[in-house]
Amino acid sequence: MTRSLYFTFILFILFAACRNSSEIKPCEGIMCDYVPPVCKFRLIERGTGHDLVYGSYAKIPLDSIRIGMKDTSFQVKQSVDTAHQTAFLYFTALANQTLRVGLPGKKTSAEMIFLLKTVGCCGVEIHGMLMNDNPDPLPKDSAGVFLVYFRL
């Protein structure tokens, strides 16, 4: 009798120790300092691959490119590498934000929404973009700068 009681006790301990993987929460109890990612991108002309904001093929003025979030908007910043004659635009991605590009000679603007996703327990990264409500892939160049294809 004591053997069966001992065996039942061991089985109960083993059964209680097993957890279903859906019950495990790997990020539970972790405190995170939120550091929003910086989105680096270029507006590239679809078909030709030319930079539309910097260089000899530039057709869009820097001051007409803004990031919108609800009722607020701010201008993107530009980082220029004069040695390689390239530049990229950047902003801090706080949430799903809208990139507004004012087109020369037009009253309307094109709107693109950058989409964020959680990575790991505390990380956030940009994983895609909606352009005219259609998901658009965001390829990166060799320097890790997003290439946003744009048609004038």
Side-chain angles (χ1 to χ4, degrees), residues 33-39 91-95 97 116 122-126:
D33 287 335
Y34 179 71
V35 178
V38 174
C39 177
F91 67 95
T92 303
L94 300 172
Q97 295 164 307
L116 302 177
C122 299
V124 177
E125 72 178 18
I126 296 167

Side-chain angles (χ1 to χ4, degrees), residues 54-104:
Y54 179 80
S56 58
Y57 295 101
K59 297 177 183 174
I60 300 173
L62 178 62
D63 61 355
S64 70
I65 303 170
R66 303 187 66 78
I67 295 296
M69 213 172 120
K70 295 188 181 184
D71 297 335
T72 326
S73 73
F74 54 93
Q75 187 174 345
V76 297
K77 296 177 179 131
Q78 186 177 48
S79 177
V80 178
D81 181 357
T82 52
H84 295 100
Q85 295 189 353
T86 62
F88 62 83
L89 307 170
Y90 66 96
F91 67 95
T92 303
L94 300 172
N96 290 345
Q97 295 164 307
T98 303
L99 174 66
R100 296 183 180 126
V101 180
L103 301 174

